[in-house]
Amino acid sequence: MVINTKKALLKAKSFLKRGMPDQARLIYNQILETYPNNGEARRSLERINSIVSATEILPVESYLLKLKNLFEQGRFKDVVAYSKTASFELNNNPLALNLVAAAFKATGDLDEAILRYKMAIEINPNFVEAYNNLGTAFISKGDLDLAEDCLKKALEKRPGYSLAHNSLGLVFANLGRNGEALDCYLRAVRLSPDFTSAHDNLGNLYGQLGDNEKAINHYREAIRTDSQNASARNNLGTLLKELGRNEEAFRCYETAISISPEFAEAYNNLGTLCLSEGKYKQAIENFRKAIKIKPQYFDARSNLIFSITSEAKTSSTDLLIETVRFSELCSKESVRKYQNWNCDHAASVLRVGFVSGDIRNHPVGYFLEGVLDDLSKGPFELFGYSTTYHEDELTLRTKPLFKAWNVISAFDWEGVAEKIYQDNLHILIDLAGHTAANGLPIFSYKPAPIQCSWLGYFGTTGIKEIDFLLGDPYVTPVAEEHHFSEKIWRLPETYLCFTEPVFAIEIGPLPALKNGYITFGCFNNLTKITDEVVLTWASILKEVHSSKLFLKCK
């Protein structure tokens, strides 16, 4: 038998790293049968034999108990390490494989988790729990079709398995199939009335559907069934914040953090609550706490940058430092960067992609709709990549203008970048900057040859792979150009243009002619109204005799 020694040795090393010494031993023996003098294979085989012979061969029950105790203590790395000391027979136990897979999943190694769940199922094809766990691992990886298949197999084998109904509901929710998701969650709580996670998910879904009363009821039911459920308290806080019930939201976040002090998402949400009240210092403190716990938490980093931007005392240099740091972290994540693209550079039609969560009733949507309508009539093919499932009448009006519309919220950044790369775009445009639900990490993979930021944000993204930022002489003055990582491309007068409303607006006489005074107006987020802004407005009102100020916020 002819063996490629180099490949065989690499494969054996891979098995050893995964804690699978028997598979590695088999390969080393095959090498030595053909090449008896191969020193690396012989030394490695001796090392394996010495380790295994020195290892205490525990009964299966004792081994499983040890794994279970380590897992329940949250010592996931210790579970993995301990499994590597065990024999092939013990590690080939489906229950052990399931536990070790869960530990790998908890440490973020989804590929190793998936491998072991599959091994457990191969040994025991009726291992329903492993099918469910494999499905949830695929959810975490963003492989929703594979997740759906696994979970449906689990339910074929055990129709009353509430855990799989709940997991399948998550798949459907991530796919935007809200009706099917709702059916799954409701079935899960009918089967298990005290199923905390299912009530939490029902709260999320009802909140998304706008049924706030049902959402609150399910969050409270999740908390009733498990008073230590930090997730439900955090989610309830977010809904209460959206409803303007800030004091209640604050208490929810504080309680969630007291239950789970390492809950980065709760710190981030508490930061957004503080930011909405103009409490910049407290907001920044909470965003920094979230980042300390979870350094790769890009949403919290964007929120931190947005907070710093909103604070008048921040220097442009400080802001650039934070955005460059954001970019460096994105670059560490995006090890695989595209350098060659398949788009036709001589094409008569340009393929242009837009990444945003705001192509809806939102300022970005209002400014973008008319531009999209105009572009769709020209030599352009438009591709939409929505970072949220939120859709409304503006979304429904604009979706037909795109050659393809993709919801990317459920996928990992690398998977999204690959999808965009395969779409063979000429230009990819970010419409969010560091605002909510942005997709900036995607751009660090450079999935399109030309990348640009525009419209939804007025500052630098810091992403070095974004080539241009569309501006104008006023929002991006020449004197401020050195504070941007992107090359500024200025439009002559303004970088945006409001879309004519679809509804009729009656135009009447100028109110000042009747009132006898000028009325200034600002319909905006109160977060932006700082002390410095109020002082500026006050000086204007003093200069314009008898003038009034009309403020309006949601």
Side-chain angles (χ1 to χ4, degrees):
M1 180 176 65
V2 178
I3 293 179
N4 185 319
T5 311
K6 187 176 180 180
K7 286 185 178 179
L9 288 169
L10 287 172
K11 189 173 183 181
K13 285 180 181 177
S14 174
F15 278 127
L16 281 176
K17 285 182 180 177
R18 293 175 177 177
M20 302 161 75
D22 286 76
Q23 288 89 333
R25 183 196 287 113
L26 180 63
I27 293 173
Y28 288 133
N29 280 326
Q30 288 173 347
I31 294 171
L32 291 170
E33 283 174 10
T34 309
Y35 304 103
N37 296 321
N38 188 291
E40 184 175 349
R42 185 167 297 283
R43 286 191 299 274
S44 298
L45 187 59
E46 289 171 355
R47 195 179 304 118
I48 290 172
N49 290 335
S50 66
I51 291 171
V52 172
S53 62
T55 301
E56 181 184 4
I57 305 301
L58 299 172
V60 171
E61 293 79 7
S62 179
Y63 176 59
L64 287 171
L65 183 61
K66 176 75 172 178
L67 288 177
K68 185 171 180 289
N69 288 339
L70 289 172
F71 189 89
E72 288 177 349
Q73 292 170 34
R75 295 165 59 185
F76 306 120
K77 291 182 179 178
D78 289 341
V79 172
V80 171
Y82 184 62
S83 72
K84 292 180 179 180
T85 69
S87 69
F88 172 74
E89 288 75 21
L90 289 176
N91 274 327
N92 240 27
N93 179 283
L95 293 173
L97 285 166
N98 187 55
L99 265 172
V100 175
F104 271 114
K105 182 170 181 276
T107 60
D109 195 338
L110 293 174
D111 290 334
E112 289 296 327
I114 288 167
L115 172 68
R116 281 162 177 76
Y117 286 135
K118 285 181 175 179
M119 290 171 66
I121 290 167
E122 188 176 347
I123 296 166
N124 179 5
N126 293 315
F127 195 172
V128 177
E129 290 79 5
Y131 276 110
N132 176 72
N133 294 339
L134 178 58
T136 62
F138 279 131
I139 293 172
S140 299
K141 199 171 173 61
D143 293 333
L144 299 181
D145 290 338
L146 291 175
E148 183 178 349
D149 289 342
C150 288
L151 295 166
K152 284 183 174 178
K153 284 177 184 175
L155 290 169
E156 282 174 13
K157 296 175 183 297
R158 191 187 298 169
Y161 189 22
S162 59
L163 206 62
H165 284 294
N166 183 56
S167 300
L168 186 58
L170 282 172
V171 172
F172 290 142
N174 280 320
L175 289 170
R177 293 155 62 179
N178 290 339
E180 292 168 277
L182 185 60
D183 288 343
C184 286
Y185 293 148
L186 289 173
R187 197 170 293 121
V189 295
R190 279 199 296 271
L191 290 164
S192 303
D194 290 340
F195 192 171
T196 302
S197 179
H199 282 294
D200 195 7
N201 289 333
L202 276 166
N204 292 338
L205 186 57
Y206 277 125
Q208 186 181 334
L209 295 172
D211 195 334
N212 297 324
E213 185 178 349
K214 283 186 179 178
I216 290 171
N217 288 340
H218 280 287
Y219 287 139
R220 295 201 188 285
E221 185 63 16
I223 294 165
R224 184 194 67 77
T225 56
D226 179 7
S227 62
Q228 297 300 299
N229 187 328
S231 171
R233 292 181 187 276
N234 176 60
N235 291 332
L236 176 57
T238 299
L239 179 57
L240 292 171
K241 173 182 170 288
E242 290 174 2
L243 296 174
R245 294 160 63 175
N246 286 10
E247 289 185 12
E248 294 173 82
F250 181 84
R251 288 195 294 272
C252 285
Y253 293 141
E254 288 279 273
T255 306
I257 290 167
S258 69
I259 293 169
S260 180
E262 298 295 298
F263 197 171
E265 287 77 9
Y267 280 111
N268 179 61
N269 290 335
L270 183 55
T272 62
L273 178 60
C274 293
L275 181 62
S276 71
E277 296 180 344
K279 298 173 181 175
Y280 299 109
K281 183 180 178 181
Q282 294 95 317
I284 290 169
E285 285 175 358
N286 281 293
F287 293 139
R288 291 199 187 280
K289 286 177 182 176
I291 292 164
K292 185 177 180 181
I293 295 166
K294 195 175 175 181
Q296 303 299 98
Y297 193 176
F298 291 113
D299 283 349
R301 287 190 176 275
S302 279
N303 287 335
L304 173 63
I305 290 167
F306 190 84
S307 299
I308 292 172
T309 303
S310 303
E311 194 173 31
K313 297 174 184 177
T314 302
S315 72
S316 297
T317 303
D318 292 339
L319 181 60
L320 186 59
I321 289 170
E322 285 293 344
T323 54
V324 169
R325 190 174 293 149
F326 180 94
S327 177
E328 289 170 348
L329 282 166
C330 287
S331 291
K332 285 182 181 178
E333 288 284 297
S334 56
V335 177
R336 176 190 176 191
K337 295 184 189 295
Y338 299 99
Q339 296 179 325
N340 299 296
W341 300 271
N342 298 322
C343 56
D344 184 358
H345 294 285
S348 58
V349 175
L350 282 178
R351 296 164 72 90
V352 183
F354 297 86
V355 179
S356 177
D358 298 325
I359 304 178
R360 53 188 174 88
N361 283 322
H362 181 279
V364 167
Y366 304 145
F367 285 107
L368 185 67
E369 184 178 4
V371 175
L372 292 176
D373 185 52
D374 213 46
L375 289 175
S376 68
K377 297 169 185 173
F380 303 98
E381 288 180 343
L382 308 181
F383 293 76
Y385 304 97
S386 177
T387 57
T388 71
Y389 282 104
H390 187 105
E391 294 187 357
D392 54 30
E393 61 272 19
L394 191 149
T395 317
L396 297 176
R397 286 199 306 271
T398 53
K399 278 173 72 172
L401 305 176
F402 292 92
K403 178 180 176 66
W405 176 268
N406 305 275
V407 178
I408 59 173
S409 64
F411 298 92
D412 62 278
W413 297 129
E414 185 176 1
V416 173
E418 175 63 18
K419 163 63 182 162
I420 293 173
Y421 175 76
Q422 294 296 337
D423 284 339
N424 299 326
L425 302 183
H426 294 92
I427 304 169
L428 183 64
I429 300 175
D430 155 58
L431 295 172
H434 286 285
T435 60
N438 70 70
L440 287 177
I442 299 165
F443 288 79
S444 64
Y445 291 87
K446 192 69 171 175
I450 298 174
Q451 301 193 144
C452 175
S453 185
W454 173 57
L455 192 58
Y457 188 64
F458 49 84
T460 182
T461 64
I463 302 291
K464 63 179 183 291
E465 291 80 11
I466 294 183
D467 307 290
F468 301 100
L469 185 141
L470 284 185
D472 60 39
Y474 310 104
V475 76
T476 50
V478 175
E480 299 292 324
E481 195 163 312
H482 61 288
H483 295 305
F484 290 80
S485 62
E486 308 86 355
K487 182 178 179 180
I488 306 299
W489 193 292
R490 290 182 186 82
L491 297 175
E493 297 295 335
T494 177
Y495 78 116
L496 44 75
C497 182
F498 200 72
T499 304
E500 182 181 348
V502 294
F503 48 86
I505 298 176
E506 185 179 343
I507 300 174
L510 186 68
L513 297 177
K514 176 184 176 182
N515 298 334
Y517 54 81
I518 297 290
T519 302
F520 294 99
C522 180
F523 298 174
N524 220 313
N525 190 331
L526 291 178
T527 303
K528 301 174 184 178
I529 304 177
T530 63
D531 292 344
E532 292 79 8
V533 170
V534 172
L535 286 171
T536 303
W537 285 348
S539 65
I540 294 170
L541 291 170
K542 286 179 181 178
E543 293 295 323
V544 182
H545 182 67
S546 299
S547 58
K548 311 289 184 186
L549 177 60
F550 182 15
L551 298 178
K552 190 174 183 179
C553 182
K554 66 176 182 179

